[in-house]
Amino acid sequence: MGDLAVRRVVIENAYITPVVGEEIPCGHIVVEGDRIAAVGPGPAAAVPEGADRVDGSGCLATPGLVNTHHHLYQWAAQGVMPDGTLFEWLMASYRLWARLDAEVVSGAATAGLAWLAKSGCTTSTDHHYVFPRGRGDLFEAEIDAARRVGLRFHPCRGSMDRGRSQGGLPPDDVVEDADEILRATEEAIQKFHDPSFGSMLRVGVAPCSPFSVSGDLMIRSAELARSHGVRLHTHIAETADEDEHCREQFGMLPVEYLDGLGWLGPDVWLAHCVHLTDKDVRRFAETGTGVAHCPSSNGRLGAGIARVADLLRAGAPVGLGVDGAASSEMTPLAGEIRMAMLMQRARYGPSALTARRALELATIGGAGCLGRAAEIGSLEAGKLADIALWRLGGFHAAIDDPVVAFAYGQTPPLARLLVGGRTVVEDGELRTVSDAAAAEAGARAHRRLLGAA
Ligand SMILES: [Zn+2]
């Protein structure tokens, strides 16, 4: 952050969709340091000395996109069991994941975060839950990658303690001991978590799923997170198989089970939430529990279509996520806006989710899930300068409404991506690391993981 004082950027002549507040057909955004200093119609009233002036003619400015669910390590393990159900795919994947080390995680996270940046993402979470013994500091490896790529990062220390011998799904050799998990999680919070306004890094606590984690660890994880004021995350209600597993093992459905463990609340956001009862939808809204909707992954695994329209109607917070690349193969975050819109319409009709509402999910909705709606997710003076500028010329120019042009068809190229005022992408190419180096890091991680298996 050494160059913070000299970050001055002025974008002019752009169509601005601030997400909160009125759209501005031709306006300016002034960035000073890591914050937005001004947003408004027409040219900027005052251009700071030495500012990087960007002509946004023919461009759409949106808030940077927020990714609420990911497993970055999976970049190294894509294409496994391409036609399997969630449980079939997991069973095939656990063996490979057991070979992870810090080098694989570093390369996979570099490629995964670079790919996110190239699709307009400025803040991403990650959920890492596989920690084979003696393979280096996997959590720190992904944090280093996020620093290099330049994204705002919310890594979650995940976990699994319920192996097959305890009635769980994963083999016993990929799970950890609960005491060890809690010790390592607390250490990660103390070492890396930064709660300040403008933070580039916040840690979350994220046991993996009801079928790989004990109830005892769920309860103790929630106590630990709440004692440190950090957020809670897990997978829930992803597939019909999971419903069956929970009925058999716990005598109730997944969300009822979570509720009983004290795991619904405004400090919790949950991935998938495909199979919800009406009561579950109400409970999410009542408790302010967030949902990370991952439509491509749900489609890839044939999990179903989440009740996003119902959740929004009830008032529950909803964000978008790409999920791990092993179950969504290079899904671009901006593409999830289109996917969410189309899948909701396929289920509920053409008015179920508009392009503008889907953009809200990808920005302010995701910011809410991560507890950062006051800092990111909209273009407003005083907020952090996380901005995506999309180029709508060329083939996109035949659609008049810029938000429709952005959301309906192929995602337009990025003219700029700013994270805290710093240019991470320019003219479609990364400026922090190179495109070629990030792609090669991912390919090398994949070869290393396969070579080790
Ligand atoms: Zn996931």
Side-chain angles (χ1 to χ4, degrees):
M1 299 297 275
D3 61 339
L4 196 64
V6 298
R7 280 182 207 165
R8 296 190 186 101
V9 185
V10 176
I11 299 167
E12 291 176 298
N13 307 318
Y15 189 103
I16 301 170
T17 303
V19 169
V20 171
E22 293 292 307
E23 293 181 9
I24 303 166
C26 182
H28 65 270
I29 305 170
V30 179
V31 173
E32 290 197 63
D34 65 349
R35 312 277 169 92
I36 296 173
V39 183
V47 176
E49 203 184 311
D52 176 6
R53 293 188 81 154
V54 181
D55 182 6
S57 300
C59 293
L60 169 71
T62 69
L65 309 184
V66 178
N67 180 41
T68 58
H69 188 63
H70 209 334
H71 313 287
L72 287 163
Y73 74 90
Q74 292 182 7
W75 190 276
Q78 300 180 68
V80 173
M81 193 61 89
D83 308 312
T85 65
L86 172 68
F87 283 10
E88 288 164 352
W89 167 81
L90 279 169
M91 293 308 292
S93 296
Y94 286 136
R95 286 278 144 226
L96 201 54
W97 298 349
R99 312 294 181 118
L100 282 179
D101 64 12
E103 209 173 313
V104 171
V105 170
S106 172
T110 301
L113 288 161
W115 190 247
L116 281 172
K118 284 169 70 69
S119 68
C121 175
T122 49
T123 298
S124 184
T125 188
D126 189 56
H127 183 185
H128 191 99
Y129 53 84
V130 189
F131 291 91
R133 243 172 226 293
R135 307 285 174 78
D137 192 333
L138 275 53
F139 201 66
E140 186 158 22
E142 63 168 344
I143 288 171
D144 285 344
R147 286 184 178 139
R148 279 195 306 278
V149 176
L151 295 197
R152 218 175 282 291
F153 197 37
H154 283 225
C156 297
R157 208 301 183 173
S159 54
M160 300 191 290
D161 75 330
R162 190 160 162 258
R164 199 147 321 139
S165 63
Q166 306 298 312
L169 188 73
D172 287 344
D173 63 352
V174 297
V175 306
E176 296 175 279
D177 168 73
D179 291 331
E180 170 62 19
I181 289 165
L182 291 162
R183 191 197 56 71
T185 305
E186 184 159 37
E187 203 177 280
I189 296 167
Q190 285 164 344
K191 192 169 176 188
F192 300 111
H193 181 67
D194 171 9
S196 69
F197 188 101
S199 170
M200 289 298 286
L201 200 140
R202 291 200 190 154
V203 174
V205 177
C208 188
S209 65
F211 51 84
S212 61
V213 175
S214 67
D216 179 59
L217 180 59
M218 293 295 289
I219 292 168
R220 292 170 71 197
S221 295
E223 285 168 0
L224 176 70
R226 286 171 176 150
S227 75
H228 286 277
V230 304
R231 298 179 84 76
L232 284 165
H233 182 52
T234 191
H235 294 100
I236 203 73
E238 184 172 356
T239 64
D241 287 346
E242 183 184 328
D243 277 4
E244 199 178 313
H245 177 93
C246 287
R247 267 207 200 91
E248 261 173 30
Q249 299 268 331
F250 315 123
M252 60 186 100
L253 289 169
V255 175
E256 291 175 289
Y257 173 65
L258 266 196
D259 205 353
L261 295 171
W263 258 78
L264 297 186
D267 57 347
V268 181
W269 89 102
L270 304 167
H272 303 307
C273 306
V274 174
H275 298 271
L276 300 183
T277 64
D278 290 343
K279 185 181 166 208
D280 296 341
V281 172
R282 274 200 309 278
R283 287 293 291 149
F284 277 69
E286 279 165 14
T287 57
T289 305
V291 171
H293 175 46
C294 308
S296 289
S297 173
N298 296 156
R300 196 274 203 192
L301 292 168
I305 300 175
R307 295 178 60 179
V308 170
D310 293 332
L311 285 162
L312 293 174
R313 202 173 305 118
V318 181
L320 295 184
V322 296
D323 204 358
S327 69
S328 65
E329 279 80 12
M330 294 179 67
T331 289
L333 182 56
E336 291 303 79
I337 293 172
R338 176 175 189 264
M339 191 62 80
M341 201 171 69
L342 296 185
M343 283 175 74
Q344 288 306 299
R345 289 165 179 227
R347 180 165 178 174
Y348 298 105
S351 62
L353 192 63
T354 65
R356 284 173 169 81
R357 195 78 178 94
L359 176 62
E360 281 174 28
L361 301 190
T363 52
I364 196 73
C369 287
L370 301 186
R372 303 198 70 169
E375 296 166 83
I376 59 173
S378 62
L379 300 177
E380 297 175 90
K383 278 195 156 183
L384 296 166
D386 292 6
I387 304 167
L389 190 65
W390 309 91
R391 209 178 284 290
L392 292 179
F395 285 101
H396 289 88
I399 302 174
D400 292 331
D401 181 333
V403 181
V404 170
F406 167 70
Y408 275 67
Q410 182 171 344
T411 303
L414 273 173
R416 282 283 179 125
L417 185 76
L418 300 179
V419 181
R422 179 188 187 199
T423 296
V424 171
V425 177
E426 188 173 358
D427 294 329
E429 297 216 347
L430 292 157
R431 288 287 178 260
T432 47
V433 293
S434 78
D435 283 51
E440 175 51 25
R444 206 166 45 236
H446 175 66
R447 289 194 299 269
R448 181 175 172 87
L449 188 66
L450 290 187

